[in-house]
Amino acid sequence: MFPYPSAQGLHVGHPEGYTATDIVSRYQRMHGMEVLHPMGWDAFGLPAENYAIKTGVHPDVSTHENIKTFKRQIQSLGLSYDWEREIDTSSPEYYKWTQWMFLQMYEHGLAYRKKARVNWCNGCQTVLANEQVVDGKCERSQDPVIQKDLAQWFFKTTNYAEQLLNDLETIDWPEPIKLMQKNWIGKSEGAEIEFRIKNEELGIKVYTTRPDTLYGVTYVVLAPEHSLVNTLTTSDNKKLVEDYLKITGTKNDLERTSLNKEKTGVFTGSYVVHPLTGKEIPIWIADYVLATYGTGAVMAVPAHDERDKEFAAIYHLPVIDLPVNEADKWALTEQAGGTRKTNYKLRDWLISRQRYWGAPIPIVYDPEGKPHPVKIEHLPLVLPTDVDYLPKGTSPIGTSASYKALAEKLYGTGWHFEVDTMDTFVCSSWYYLRYCDPHNDKQFAAPETLAHWLPVDLYVGGAEHAVLHLLYARFFHKALQDFGFIPTSVGREPFQALRNQGMILGEDNQKMSKSRGNVINPDDIVNQYGADTLRLYEMFMGPFADGKPWNTKSIEGMSRFLNRVKKVIQDNKALPTNNESSNLIHFTVKKVSEDIVHFHFNTAISTMMTFLNAKDFLGENNWDKSAIEKFILLLHPFAPFTTQDLWKELGHDTELDHEVWPSFDANKIISDTVNLAIQVNGKLRDTIIVATNSSEVDVKQLAQNTDKIKKYLAGKQIVKLIYVPNKLVSIVVK
Ligand code: ANZ
């Protein structure tokens, strides 16, 4: 996943994912694969604009300064990116195609403008998509989100709800991410049943997933926004209903549906007739029913539904406790004259933002206010620079005289462009496509380049994008393929395999933050220890997907490991090749290869450490030039700088990236390694790792020579030395 080039520069979380894909890329290249390993910048977004508001520095200037820093930092880490394919979503060459994609969505009926109740963040002075509201707050600024009625642009993600759900089965993604997407899409299978209104030619349709509870319905509830609210409110109840509507108007969905908020509501004065029993049932209005889900009306069953139960208790509504049998669901639906219905929680994606630093929406309004698509030959519709950034709740582009003049020049007097920009998640929904053909100015990418490279084999990033970027990109991929722009051979999914990196915490086990003062700057680590140490350390910290705290001591340990690698190689570079070389190198090649493929970088590194230690212990008989060279090749993807230097010292002038990944002889791997306990006078004093097939003589030799054991033996006489194969060495001294 490409980064947002923030002013803070790279943080230590970035190299974690980047090193992982770099290791895999180098590994695959050494297998002769053609690897596309790209990098780019998710460059539009609010922080640059907020910075402009504060300092007057244009976002284009500050963003490009930030990009320079990011690029310098990333390059210092030895990440083997193809910089020829670098992309920047804020460049007109890129957002021309973001705008073109908006137009494609529009032409195909997947982009539309609608007045709707939308999430509004006062802090950011813009609307937000549902995915950007977390626990009723703006996911970015943490300000509470309120509801406003505004005309906004949407993408019809709901058209793809079923495919977005079903195709999850076809991809190799972490199960928790798949589950979050599944829940977000929220497929629900139930029934729509009509309750006729007493003495009227009208009915209220409800959506229920539990038609089997029909006999327990004791009242019906309408959402406050339901179209029948006025019609059904009797004159006696008018005042109470009006007052109630005023109160609920400002609440957001979370406040309304939260289980621990007290339920409120009001009686309309009207009744429906139960479709099975013929009994009269009161119609209430309550804001725990949402207008935007199902039919905006529910049949309330206080005996079986928690919210209904709570509501019934407050307003003294009857509860009918009845035995229910889920198997009766569809029979009862039919008896009540209802129909089966599938609903989804997923809502269309609101993409308009009242902010400056984004891709302008390519829509032009005629003097009557009717929207028209901007002509393709007018793309890119370049973001004007003569704007007043101060947030006013309307888009800053609205203040641009040049933008106004351009619309009139191109389309006629009285015409004006849409002044909202697109959610930056639109830009990042298709960037992986652009990497295939980044300099094409006729198409976003030529189909043959897409067919050649896609789908993305491996995608790595944080889990926080579960229902944002990762859902949007899947939607884009499917839509663009349906429009005919992505060859069918690519498949229906953009990212075949996804791996999440765990969060790197501060040394205090807390999230790194300026205010806690626990932030580690990767530049400092690179300066002090070198890039290879940082790369190795981040891969060694623990399982890739786990959260893990930073530890300065371990970084020093990693630096010592690399120094030992250098020393051992330098000391042994004159060794001849011995075809009977140690079994351990064969085992090491096998294990490191498998670990890389499975993203077990930490155990790959510990396997290499074991090998190096065993070398010290096993002595030169089992250590030859070919083993040394294989070891260097294995370490190369992890520590490219050190290994390239050592490769030279070994007399090679080739690039390691172009060397062939070492092979192993399965017959030579008789077994794995074992951990042996070493006791001195019956007390455990150290452990060593040896190949299971090591000879007794070798093992006894090794056991006496570890740094710790040497201390216990110093000045003493060994009276007994026992080796229990694969378990322990017991030394008795006096
Ligand atoms: C009667 C009933 C009895 C229900 C029972 C549930 C349990 P999901 O699974 O989320 O689709 N409902 C329907 N429309 C609603 C709306 N607009 N706002 C709030 N609640 C709504 O849940 C569907 C259930 O949520 C429906 O089934 C309805 O309550 C409620 F023991 O009908 B049920």
Side-chain angles (χ1 to χ4, degrees), residues 624-643:
D624 76 334
K625 180 134 186 205
S626 94
I628 292 177
E629 291 189 342
K630 281 184 177 175
F631 177 77
I632 290 296
L633 291 166
L634 294 182
L635 185 61
H636 175 63
F638 297 80
F641 293 111
T642 310
T643 48

Side-chain angles (χ1 to χ4, degrees), residues 260-276:
N260 40 33
K261 288 261 160 68
E262 184 165 316
K263 305 280 162 295
T264 58
V266 63
F267 179 46
T268 58
S270 297
Y271 294 83
V272 286
V273 179
H274 192 288
L276 298 176

Side-chain angles (χ1 to χ4, degrees), residues 48 51 56-68 357:
Y51 185 69
V57 177
H58 193 277
D60 198 37
V61 174
S62 58
T63 300
H64 288 94
E65 279 304 307
N66 296 347
I67 287 178
K68 257 195 228 148
W357 191 231

